[in-house]
Amino acid sequence: MKRSHYCGQVTETLVDARVEVCGWVHRRRDHGGVIFIDLRDREGLLQVVFDPDCAETFVQAERLRSEFVMAVRGTVRPRPEGTINANLPTGRVELYADSVELLNRAETPPFHLDDDTVGEETRLKFRYMDLRRPEMLGNLRLRHRVTQYIRRYMDDNGFVDVETPILTRATPEGARDYLVPSRTHPGSFFALPQSPQLFKQLLMMSGLDRYYQIARCFRDEDLRADRQPEFTQLDVETSFLSQGEIMDLMEALIRGLFAETLGVDLGDSFQRMSWAEAMGRFGSDKPDLRNPLELIDIQDLVANEEFKVFAGPANDPGCRVTALCVPGGAEKLSRSQIDGYTAFVGNYGARGLAWIKVNDRAKGREGLQSPIVKNLSDAALDGILERTGASSGDILFFGAASFKIVSDALGALRLKLGNDLGLAAGGWRALWVVDWPMFEWDDKEARWQATNHPFTAPQTADAEALANDPAGTLSQGYDMVLNGVEIGGGSVRIHRPEMQAAVFKILGISDEEAREKFGFLLDALKFGAPPHGGLAFGIDRLVMLMAGAGSIRDVIAFPKTQTAHCPLTNAPGTVDTRQLRELSIKTMLGSKTA
């Protein structure tokens, strides 16, 4: 028997035609002596009818069970009146079977594909079953369409697809490297790439001009919904383009991708917002613009108050005092809910959550309800209400601490309140976050760290000016944010040796360390490196958003759990002593004997 159509392709256009289809038994039903099979393949479901008048096929149909694999031949006919399923493309027809072939049996499945209560551990253990679900197949096919469009776009714009090494040496990407021991060089290790960063820069120095790669990357870090130990990114690098030109080129890619694959118009151009504005208004460098709530700084209004909880941070240049006005919150939020939000911000380092309910704005102080009202002057209260635009029925939440704690805590509270109260609008909101600080100070290490990576170019071309003001220097970095998720980021790179040396010096990287880690790059910079820059998009995150999935694990065929474990293959696993001996490795925990 040879398949003529996929199940989901059998529609009214094929009425009276003879077709052959193959697939899995999704559901079997006996109705008054007639057997109905919902046959499933990757394109959808098709109702197959087995009638006792066809005795041989009917007997075979009686033996069919869930997930049996079968091929069936028959005639397409309209469904009887009253049995049409308008929710299926094939719901107006059925296949009247006159021949059936059982291709394979199946044991009782660990779960039915329609069961939404199955735990993720079970789904991942039996991933080959889980991937049969239409939504999972849909996610993988969406991913295919995304990468297909990307390749066409990159080709149309003069980019060349080049593979870079998987076995390389460690590069400073901010996470632990996965190490691979070398058998031929005992005691030495390869590192799996966290990104192809240095290689794509070398390709620009090689004269390739425009490079891209859909690259596998690896990071040994704690996981969450949007992280995996191995992930995929669209890696891009260009020569002789400015920051704005690179952003325009990549923005057109994303707008075209959404238009073609989802029929979504992301607009003519994305908003461009400075890092300082994003942190000031939203407490986040990846703001979700669908949420209307904003943080409003009030330190100047409380700097001279006797209330030290506010006045102390207000007079500390490393701190901020911020209000978050929630429309209707005074009426909607109970005291227990407010206590819950207080506990919530504690997860971000906040020691408490001050609040004021505006019960009646017209009554001034008497219309306000809060334990802190008595500690603030009338001038401060009036100024806060005026600046925040608070109205009767609103609630104000406050943060007063270091810039990071307040931004993290109220930024997260902003998102939670928006979701809890249904304030966030639907749809898609994209923007670029630009003008990033070149460096950030690490209190624990007592030294500067690169905000992006040490190869990002500053906005100044003067190495001496950079050295004299690392705190005030901005980088030529840029992140693309969609609905509060960073989907891509990059920068213009340093292409002059003296600027790269200046950056290394600020970061406390000695000449010896720089030579040891990046000697090949430093050498390449001496031989006519062009101005260049690029970025990388997280394919997994991007497809997750487009599919409306809750985790990138739902758009990856064979993902790991949040403990970097694969329930399907039970990886990682132990190896025997003989193999470890070949690699000159001895474990502290022991291993299997040979």
Side-chain angles (χ1 to χ4, degrees):
M1 186 175 293
K2 183 178 180 180
R3 180 171 64 184
S4 64
H5 296 80
Y6 283 102
C7 292
Q9 296 173 339
V10 180
T11 64
E12 291 173 285
T13 61
L14 294 174
V15 168
D16 296 329
R18 288 187 55 75
V19 301
E20 297 88 28
V21 292
C22 303
W24 287 262
V25 175
H26 186 70
R27 190 177 292 105
R28 176 181 179 275
R29 307 183 305 278
D30 290 349
H31 287 176
V34 178
I35 296 175
F36 293 88
I37 294 291
D38 289 335
L39 192 65
R40 184 192 71 246
D41 63 17
R42 76 174 199 186
E43 299 297 332
L45 294 173
L46 174 64
Q47 179 170 285
V48 182
V49 181
F50 295 88
D51 194 289
D53 291 343
C54 295
E56 185 177 346
T57 59
F58 188 81
V59 169
Q60 294 184 63
E62 287 182 312
R63 295 195 289 265
L64 296 175
R65 295 293 181 268
S66 180
E67 300 307 315
F68 277 27
V69 186
M70 57 179 282
V72 60
R73 179 186 295 118
T75 302
V76 181
R77 67 184 189 185
R79 289 198 190 189
E81 194 68 33
T83 66
I84 291 173
N85 184 348
N87 296 320
L88 292 177
T90 63
R92 294 184 176 275
V93 298
E94 59 190 15
L95 181 63
Y96 184 81
D98 55 41
S99 177
V100 64
E101 180 181 355
L102 177 61
L103 301 176
N104 211 345
R105 298 176 179 272
E107 295 183 3
T108 301
F111 53 86
H112 195 276
L113 303 193
D114 288 340
D115 187 355
D116 294 329
T117 66
V118 179
E120 186 178 54
E121 189 80 14
T122 301
R123 288 175 50 207
L124 294 180
K125 182 177 181 179
F126 300 96
R127 190 62 161 180
Y128 43 87
M129 296 291 302
D130 188 44
L131 290 177
R132 295 179 189 177
R133 296 191 298 132
E135 55 266 42
M136 295 302 295
L137 286 172
N139 289 349
L140 294 185
R141 296 182 72 180
L142 172 62
R143 186 179 180 121
H144 165 68
R145 294 199 305 274
V146 167
T147 56
Q148 191 178 46
Y149 178 87
I150 287 171
R151 292 188 185 281
R152 288 202 311 271
Y153 181 90
M154 302 306 285
D155 184 60
D156 290 344
N157 284 276
F159 287 84
V160 179
D161 183 3
V162 181
E163 293 180 344
T164 53
I166 294 296
L167 295 177
T168 181
R169 63 178 298 143
T171 58
E173 300 290 337
R176 299 183 195 90
D177 290 303
Y178 276 102
L179 301 178
V180 179
S182 170
R183 179 183 59 81
T184 55
H185 299 274
S188 296
F189 295 81
F190 294 105
L192 302 183
Q194 295 186 35
S195 80
Q197 179 60 50
L198 298 185
F199 289 106
K200 66 182 182 180
Q201 289 190 243
L202 291 174
L203 288 171
M204 296 303 101
M205 298 170 197
S206 303
L208 193 70
D209 195 75
R210 293 192 179 193
Y211 140 94
Y212 88 97
Q213 181 183 185
I214 296 179
R216 297 293 283 169
C217 305
F218 307 86
R219 293 183 182 180
D220 185 8
E221 59 186 348
D222 295 333
L223 307 184
R224 58 184 186 225
D226 59 348
R227 284 183 177 173
Q228 281 280 291
E230 50 183 324
F231 57 96
T232 306
Q233 66 183 35
L234 168 61
D235 203 49
V236 179
E237 199 76 7
T238 68
S239 295
F240 305 110
L241 292 183
S242 67
Q243 173 179 332
E245 290 170 327
I246 296 170
M247 291 168 65
D248 287 344
L249 192 61
M250 294 298 99
E251 182 178 315
L253 164 66
I254 298 301
R255 284 193 276 109
L257 173 64
F258 271 72
E260 178 164 310
T261 58
L262 297 184
V264 169
D265 183 1
L266 292 179
D268 294 332
S269 63
F270 296 172
Q271 179 178 353
R272 300 190 181 189
M273 181 182 296
S274 71
W275 175 89
E277 181 181 354
M279 296 300 296
R281 293 174 58 190
F282 308 108
S284 172
D285 55 24
K286 45 182 182 294
D288 187 346
L289 299 184
R290 298 172 303 168
N291 185 327
L293 302 181
E294 293 192 20
L295 279 60
I296 300 172
D297 287 332
I298 59 167
Q299 49 259 47
D300 59 310
L301 301 177
V302 297
N304 297 319
E305 294 293 297
E306 295 183 3
F307 188 40
K308 299 304 181 185
V309 173
F310 282 3
N315 288 283
D316 185 336
C319 295
R320 67 185 299 193
V321 184
T322 299
L324 180 66
C325 181
V326 183
E331 300 168 344
K332 297 176 182 177
L333 299 178
S334 66
R335 182 56 190 267
S336 64
Q337 288 175 299
I338 294 173
D339 291 342
Y341 290 130
T342 301
F344 173 77
V345 297
N347 296 325
Y348 298 87
R351 295 184 178 180
L353 182 64
W355 52 272
I356 295 177
K357 283 188 175 184
V358 185
N359 295 325
D360 190 340
R361 172 74 187 272
K363 292 183 178 180
R365 177 186 293 272
E366 299 305 316
L368 305 178
Q369 176 188 350
S370 169
I372 69 168
V373 169
K374 63 180 181 295
N375 299 312
L376 296 172
S377 67
D378 288 343
L381 289 172
D382 290 343
I384 291 170
L385 294 175
E386 181 67 27
R387 183 170 296 178
T388 60
S391 302
S392 298
D394 296 349
I395 188 171
L396 294 166
F397 290 107
F398 299 90
S402 70
F403 184 88
K404 176 174 174 53
I405 288 176
V406 171
S407 299
D408 289 350
L410 287 196
L413 180 62
R414 168 183 174 267
L415 294 177
K416 184 168 179 57
L417 285 164
N419 290 330
D420 291 351
L421 300 178
L423 301 176
W428 302 92
R429 292 291 302 276
L431 77 153
W432 289 100
V433 178
V434 297
D435 296 338
W436 289 71
M438 184 75 180
F439 306 102
E440 54 188 0
W441 183 255
D442 187 327
D443 288 325
K444 291 183 179 179
E445 298 287 337
R447 65 186 182 93
W448 291 107
Q449 301 275 16
T451 301
N452 189 341
H453 55 61
F455 314 110
T456 297
Q459 291 188 9
T460 177
D462 187 340
E464 184 176 350
L466 172 70
N468 291 333
D469 187 21
T473 301
L474 300 179
S475 78
Q476 295 187 60
Y478 35 85
D479 277 5
M480 185 185 290
V481 178
L482 181 63
N483 289 4
V485 177
E486 176 203 332
I487 60 171
S491 68
V492 173
R493 323 301 186 187
I494 297 169
H495 69 282
R496 290 167 39 224
E498 61 271 22
M499 182 62 78
Q500 188 64 75
V503 169
F504 282 161
K505 185 174 182 180
I506 292 171
L507 296 174
I509 298 175
S510 67
D511 292 343
E512 294 76 14
E513 183 182 1
R515 171 56 52 183
E516 166 64 21
K517 291 183 176 180
F518 318 113
F520 58 95
L521 177 70
L522 298 178
D523 288 341
L525 288 174
K526 299 175 184 177
F527 292 98
H532 59 285
L535 83 171
F537 286 105
I539 297 291
D540 311 297
R541 289 187 188 180
L542 182 59
V543 178
M544 176 187 73
L545 287 175
M546 298 175 77
S551 164
I552 61 171
R553 292 188 292 278
D554 286 337
V555 298
I556 298 172
F558 301 104
K560 308 294 189 294
T561 67
Q562 290 196 18
T563 60
H565 171 248
C566 176
L568 175 66
T569 63
N570 203 28
T574 58
V575 297
D576 62 37
T577 303
R578 181 183 304 160
Q579 189 171 4
L580 291 176
R581 197 180 300 126
E582 289 179 344
L583 295 170
S584 303
I585 291 176
K586 184 177 181 180
T587 69
M588 298 176 63
L589 300 178
S591 62
K592 291 173 56 180
T593 57

